[in-house]
Amino acid sequence: MHDTSFSVTGDGPVVVLVHGMGLNLDMWQGQLAPLARKFKMLRYDLLGHGRSQAHPGPYEMVDFVDQLERLLDHLSIERCRLVGFSLGGLIVQAFTIACPTRVCRLAVLNAGYDRSDEDRAGMIERLRIARQDGHGTTVEMALERWFTEKFATDHPEIIDQVRHWMHSNDRNIYPEIYRVLAFGDQALASEIPKIRCPTLVMTCSDDVGSPPDMARRMAQAIPGAELAIVPELRHMGLMEAPSAINEILISFLAA
């Protein structure tokens, strides 16, 4: 597919991994080896991220749903297990609603749901800063929210890697996509009760952007959804402590 960079690893039932805002397909490196023992993993870069193409905008949720649908068609994948993190968590919900027959299991990790005006205010302010001064000014704020202080001190190389990914984004396109993240949960809130496949909603206990209460409400809105709250981690728990996330995720996907 000319506009989408992707990678396929492992063998077995297909699991599609959808990364978060400002990141790329490499953010799943902590999940690769454990998942590859049971599954064929498809990772890809969202539009405007990594090595995938970008267009000037505006961007809408449907653009990302369409990208995933075209990628699955390109690879002749009829059905998959679908995992999305943060912005990816919104995209996989929207995709499952639009293409319900193509998703047999859904995992939504550290994603927003039906934010209050107060919850959304911080995101709107970061969007304003990104438009005015460039998204680079918001990167250090993000890293503080995403990782625990101890991990950041002990693993500066990982913080530097994520910092590099964030700074690599186009300063004009980043705010356009961030707007999808900031407001994408609004339309989904009334739609996700339509989701019928087995669903896991997971977040971390200290994730201020996608807190446990928000995950609980999301899980209650999706019929039969399972809820998992991973203790003592922030937004990027899946990079900070992969085994804690993988144990729950693999158990769900393999069921």
Side-chain angles (χ1 to χ4, degrees):
M1 234 169 85
H2 72 279
D3 65 345
T4 298
S5 171
F6 64 89
S7 173
V8 179
T9 314
D11 194 28
V14 176
V15 173
V16 181
L17 302 171
V18 188
H19 67 76
M21 179 73 222
L23 304 169
N24 57 58
L25 59 80
D26 291 324
M27 69 157 279
W28 299 104
Q29 54 204 12
Q31 284 65 54
L32 284 182
L35 280 168
R37 297 188 195 110
K38 293 178 178 285
F39 303 105
K40 176 185 287 187
M41 282 172 298
L42 169 59
R43 298 173 295 147
Y44 70 100
D45 289 332
L46 293 171
L47 296 171
H49 290 76
R51 292 172 293 278
S52 287
Q53 285 186 2
H55 58 75
Y59 283 80
E60 304 294 342
M61 183 64 74
V62 67
D63 296 316
F64 297 100
V65 170
D66 176 65
Q67 181 192 20
L68 177 52
E69 185 174 19
R70 287 185 295 109
L71 180 59
L72 294 181
D73 288 346
H74 175 72
L75 297 172
S76 300
I77 296 170
E78 290 297 320
R79 280 168 62 82
C80 65
R81 290 156 169 79
L82 191 52
V83 181
F85 167 78
S86 194
L87 170 61
L90 300 182
I91 293 167
V92 298
Q93 293 174 67
F95 181 86
T96 304
I97 293 162
C99 307
T101 62
R102 304 195 74 161
V103 183
C104 54
R105 286 190 164 258
L106 174 67
V108 181
L109 314 183
N110 304 83
Y113 168 74
D114 197 21
R115 297 185 192 278
S116 66
D117 291 343
E118 184 180 1
D119 289 333
R120 205 177 309 280
M123 303 186 77
I124 293 172
E125 175 62 12
R126 290 190 287 277
L127 177 58
R128 184 194 68 78
I129 293 170
R131 281 181 167 152
Q132 178 178 297
D133 303 323
H135 72 281
T137 55
T138 68
V139 170
E140 296 308 312
M141 291 188 285
L143 293 172
E144 286 184 21
R145 293 193 311 275
W146 290 1
F147 294 96
T148 65
E149 292 177 22
K150 184 178 189 311
F151 183 84
T153 300
D154 293 347
H155 298 278
E157 74 287 354
I158 293 180
I159 305 302
D160 284 344
Q161 182 179 52
V162 177
R163 181 183 287 117
H164 172 71
W165 293 342
M166 298 287 285
H167 280 290
S168 297
N169 288 280
D170 186 298
R171 64 168 289 155
N172 296 312
I173 291 169
Y174 183 96
E176 294 300 318
I177 300 175
Y178 192 87
R179 186 180 52 79
V180 178
L181 173 65
F183 296 100
D185 64 292
Q186 284 181 319
L188 284 169
S190 60
E191 292 291 305
I192 61 173
K194 296 177 182 176
I195 293 173
R196 289 293 180 266
C197 64
T199 301
L200 170 69
V201 176
M202 189 192 312
T203 196
C204 301
S205 63
D206 301 329
D207 186 343
V208 295
S210 309
D213 177 64
M214 192 177 286
R216 287 189 189 96
R217 291 188 292 114
M218 187 194 305
Q220 288 167 358
I222 300 172
E226 300 176 31
L227 174 68
I229 310 295
V230 184
E232 299 178 357
L233 293 170
R234 295 182 182 176
H235 193 57
M236 290 288 277
L238 54 76
M239 285 192 75
E240 179 167 335
S243 59
I245 305 296
N246 296 344
E247 182 180 0
I248 299 167
L249 182 61
I250 292 171
S251 174
F252 170 76
L253 293 173

